[in-house]
């Protein structure tokens, strides 16, 4: 049954993309397809193959890549090998070595190691053909954000997720304050919330376009659609990520407020560390916890207080021996966690810390690659953010802020496929922005792309 569902949905998706390509342009079709696939289509529409998972997000991404490769009307950027490309190759190599050393590398698992990463990175790499394409992609995103908010608000209020209902998927999360924690199209509200945070740069730029009267005024609401959608998840992590992203973005973009905000962040970080126990208890109470729900559990012969907020801290104790012996390449994917059930710690099967997860699966080398990949992209984006009068400069500042927020939240959640695909896409897009800016700087008279359509007159002057 699920095979028919994914085949039928994929066929209809291909027809829709073909129609948009014929009427609005190929890039418009790819832009709409990307945002719609990650925000409007349930990731549960999936097909499990030996060693690999196929879902609509992957199908839509591969269709977009095929159109980029074979449609001669598409303007293709003249790209060079970049630092981000090197990180991509190293990251995939680490996963292969880790799987091989742990006897988990085989014909079936090769696709399972490549498909969650490479297609999304490549789509980001070729998502725009020029720096001016960024404005067009932003225009395509706002309607999708509005639909996503309406979908998630409906789910939260009615406790019904239409796509989950059709697929027979049961919600695994509880209600808070009388509202359901909305899943949207993800398997978990926290993952959906971080996906929404990951696309905030597009919403912020859409609002700027509306403010500059380049697009209809209603698009100024684009960020508020995403804020509202994040709120429907009723998850503390994504809400905190929105605050962090907005804070960092303001710090980057406002010269007057930059120094005071940096000082305030340092003071707040020190205070948070000193009062970490009180902060954890406050966060737990905000999430609906109370002292009556506190449990006492035993880890390695010692007793500890357990709450939802302390779960993240206790993970380091539960996996202490495995973290000490993970080495450079870890224990490979599908790590055996049967010891948790044997010791009565099954609640820690959810490794709510990406850094613990990656160290265990891919070792300290793999974790280092993932961390420095994000750092390298952030540094490159900050270089572009010096030109805030250009769309790519503002977008770079916003993307830097979002990367900081998501990397901070990865301390408290594991790297789900939903969040990972947005990150890999962002890494690829960052590399392309840096390449296109370098080409423009080297030879301003030579376009950094093969034109598909003429650039509107006075575009840059209108966008300032």
């Amino acid at each position: 049954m699920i095979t028919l569902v994914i085949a039928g949905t994929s066929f209809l998706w291909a027809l829709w993309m073909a129609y948009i390509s014929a009427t609005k342009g190929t890039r418009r079709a790819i832009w709409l397809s990307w945002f719609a696939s990650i925000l409007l289509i349930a990731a549960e529409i999936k097909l499990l193959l030996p060693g690999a998972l196929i879902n609509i997000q992957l199908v839509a991404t591969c269709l977009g890549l095929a159109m980029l490769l074979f449609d001669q009307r598409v303007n293709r950027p003249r790209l060079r090998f970049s630092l981000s490309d090197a990180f991509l190759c190293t990251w995939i190599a680490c996963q292969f070595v880790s799987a091989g050393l742990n006897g988990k590398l085989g014909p079936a698992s090769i696709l399972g190691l490549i498909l969650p990463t490479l297609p999304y990175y490549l789509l980001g790499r070729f998502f725009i053909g020029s720096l001016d394409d960024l404005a067009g992609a932003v225009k395509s995103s706002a309607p999708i954000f509005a639909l996503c908010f309406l979908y998630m608000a409906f789910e939260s209020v009615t406790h019904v997720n239409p796509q989950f209902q059709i697929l027979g998927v049961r919600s695994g999360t509880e209600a808070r304050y009388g509202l359901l924690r909305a899943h949207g199209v993800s398997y978990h509200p926290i993952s959906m919330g971080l996906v929404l945070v990951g696309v905030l740069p597009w919403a912020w730029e859409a609002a700027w376009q509306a403010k500059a009267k380049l697009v209809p005024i209603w698009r100024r609401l684009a960020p508020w659609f995403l804020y509202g959608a994040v709120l429907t998840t009723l998850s503390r992590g994504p809400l905190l990520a929105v605050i962090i992203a907005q804070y960092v973005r303001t710090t980057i973009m406002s010269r007057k407020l930059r120094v005071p905000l940096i000082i305030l962040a340092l003071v707040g970080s020190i205070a948070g560390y000193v009062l970490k126990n009180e902060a954890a208890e406050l966060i737990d109470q905000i999430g609906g916890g109370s002292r009556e729900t506190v449990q006492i559990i035993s880890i390695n012969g010692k007793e500890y207080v357990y709450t939802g907020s302390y779960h993240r801290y206790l993970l380091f104790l539960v996996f202490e021996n495995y973290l000490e012996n993970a080495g450079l390449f870890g224990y490979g994917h599908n790590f055996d966690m049967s010891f948790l059930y044997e010791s009565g710690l099954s609640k820690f099967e959810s490794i709510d810390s990406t850094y613990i997860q990656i160290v265990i699966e891919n070792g300290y080398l793999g974790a280092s690659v993932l961390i420095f990949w994000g750092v390298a992209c952030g540094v490159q984006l900050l270089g572009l953010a010096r030109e805030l009068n250009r769309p790519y400069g503002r977008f770079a500042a916003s993307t830097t802020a979002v990367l900081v927020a998501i990397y901070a939240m990865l301390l408290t959640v594991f790297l789900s496929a939903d969040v990972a695909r947005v990150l890999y896409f962002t890494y690829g897009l960052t590399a392309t922005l840096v390449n296109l800016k370098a080409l423009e700087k080297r030879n301003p008279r030579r376009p950094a792309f093969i034109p598909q359509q003429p650039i509107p007159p006075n575009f840059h002057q209108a966008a300032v």
Side-chain angles (χ1 to χ4, degrees):
M1 180 62 181
I2 191 62
T3 303
L4 292 176
V5 171
I6 194 168
T9 307
S10 300
F11 178 71
L12 292 175
W13 199 271
L15 288 180
W16 176 65
M17 290 185 69
Y19 172 76
I20 298 296
S21 177
T23 57
K24 302 292 185 180
T26 300
R27 284 215 174 269
R28 180 73 179 276
I30 295 167
W31 296 334
L32 285 171
S33 175
W34 168 247
F35 292 114
S37 67
I38 63 172
L39 296 178
L40 298 180
I41 300 297
E44 291 295 329
I45 303 178
K46 62 187 179 183
L47 178 63
L48 292 173
L49 299 178
L53 183 149
I54 309 296
N55 56 20
I56 295 302
Q57 286 73 22
L58 180 62
V59 170
T61 298
C62 291
L63 286 172
L65 288 172
M67 294 173 74
L68 284 168
L69 288 174
F70 299 111
D71 192 335
Q72 297 301 316
R73 298 173 301 167
V74 178
N75 42 311
R76 297 178 179 83
R78 301 185 175 102
L79 303 178
R80 302 174 301 167
F81 189 79
S82 72
L83 180 60
S84 190
D85 297 333
F87 274 109
L88 170 73
C89 296
T90 308
W91 173 241
I92 293 178
C94 281
Q95 294 185 79
F96 270 82
V97 173
S98 177
L101 291 176
N102 290 281
K104 299 178 180 179
L105 184 63
S109 64
I110 291 177
L111 280 179
L113 295 175
I114 293 177
L115 290 181
T117 307
L118 186 61
Y120 305 108
Y121 180 86
L122 291 178
L123 184 67
R125 202 73 171 90
F126 296 99
F127 198 63
I128 59 174
S130 71
L131 292 174
D132 297 309
D133 269 347
L134 194 62
V138 167
K139 292 178 184 177
S140 300
S141 65
I144 305 296
F145 299 156
L147 291 174
C148 179
F149 166 66
L150 292 174
Y151 184 90
M152 294 183 67
F154 175 85
E155 178 189 1
S156 184
V157 172
T158 65
H159 293 208
V160 174
N161 186 312
Q163 293 184 76
F164 283 14
Q165 195 84 357
I166 293 171
L167 295 169
V169 177
R170 297 182 63 183
S171 171
T173 55
E174 76 283 0
R176 287 178 177 172
Y177 313 111
L179 299 172
L180 182 71
R181 296 179 62 195
H183 288 64
V185 299
S186 180
Y187 82 103
H188 197 281
I190 295 177
S191 294
M192 188 65 206
L194 291 182
V195 169
L196 293 165
V197 173
V199 296
L200 269 174
W202 305 94
W204 283 328
E205 185 59 23
W208 184 92
Q209 288 182 353
K211 184 178 180 181
K213 299 181 180 180
L214 298 174
V215 295
I217 193 66
W218 71 266
R219 293 175 188 249
R220 293 190 71 169
L221 295 174
W224 294 98
F225 292 141
L226 294 186
Y227 298 154
V230 170
L231 188 61
T232 66
T233 68
L234 299 175
S235 296
R236 293 157 291 185
L239 290 171
L240 181 57
V242 169
I243 295 172
I244 293 174
Q246 185 65 67
Y247 192 97
V248 175
R249 180 174 182 262
T250 303
T251 302
I252 295 173
M253 298 186 69
S254 175
R255 294 179 180 177
K256 292 181 179 180
L257 297 176
R258 188 173 301 160
V259 173
L261 287 176
I262 290 175
I263 294 173
L264 181 61
L266 291 174
V267 173
S269 298
I270 295 171
Y273 177 78
V274 173
L275 302 174
K276 54 182 179 294
N277 292 332
E278 291 79 0
E281 185 174 345
L282 176 62
I283 291 172
D284 195 56
Q285 290 176 351
I286 292 174
S290 67
R291 288 197 174 273
E292 282 122 11
T293 62
V294 170
Q295 303 174 40
I296 303 297
I297 62 173
S298 177
I299 301 175
N300 298 326
K302 295 182 180 180
E303 291 187 342
Y304 296 91
V305 173
Y306 176 87
T307 67
S309 298
Y310 286 132
H311 177 95
R312 278 78 175 177
Y313 163 72
L314 295 175
L315 281 168
F316 288 92
L317 302 178
V318 171
F319 292 97
E320 183 178 11
N321 292 334
Y322 292 89
L323 291 172
E324 289 179 356
N325 299 292
L328 287 178
F329 297 103
Y331 301 94
H333 57 287
N334 299 324
F335 172 65
D336 181 13
M337 292 192 289
S338 59
F339 75 95
L340 293 176
Y341 295 90
E342 297 169 0
S343 55
L345 297 172
S346 58
K347 62 181 63 187
F348 291 98
E349 184 179 23
S350 174
I351 306 180
D352 291 336
S353 174
T354 293
Y355 304 110
I356 294 178
Q357 171 198 353
I358 299 300
V359 169
I360 291 176
E361 292 184 354
N362 304 116
Y364 285 97
L365 180 58
S368 298
V369 171
L370 185 67
I371 292 171
F372 286 108
W373 196 357
V375 171
C377 287
V379 171
Q380 291 179 315
L381 288 167
L382 282 176
L384 297 177
R386 289 179 296 182
E387 297 188 52
L388 294 175
N389 63 323
R390 297 285 297 275
Y392 67 81
R394 293 187 299 274
F395 186 84
S398 299
T399 304
T400 303
V402 162
L403 285 177
V404 170
I406 290 179
Y407 265 70
M409 289 302 102
L410 290 182
L411 280 168
T412 66
V413 298
F414 76 92
L415 185 61
S416 69
D418 304 297
V419 179
R421 68 173 62 98
V422 174
L423 277 180
Y424 298 140
F425 171 87
T426 302
Y427 297 153
L429 181 61
T430 296
T432 295
L433 287 172
V434 172
N435 277 179
L436 291 173
K437 178 56 185 173
L439 288 168
E440 179 188 83
K441 186 176 181 180
R442 187 182 306 122
N443 191 347
R445 296 184 178 182
R446 182 190 182 196
F449 60 97
I450 305 170
Q452 176 186 13
Q453 297 175 345
I455 299 174
N458 302 322
F459 177 86
H460 294 304
Q461 288 83 346
V464 172

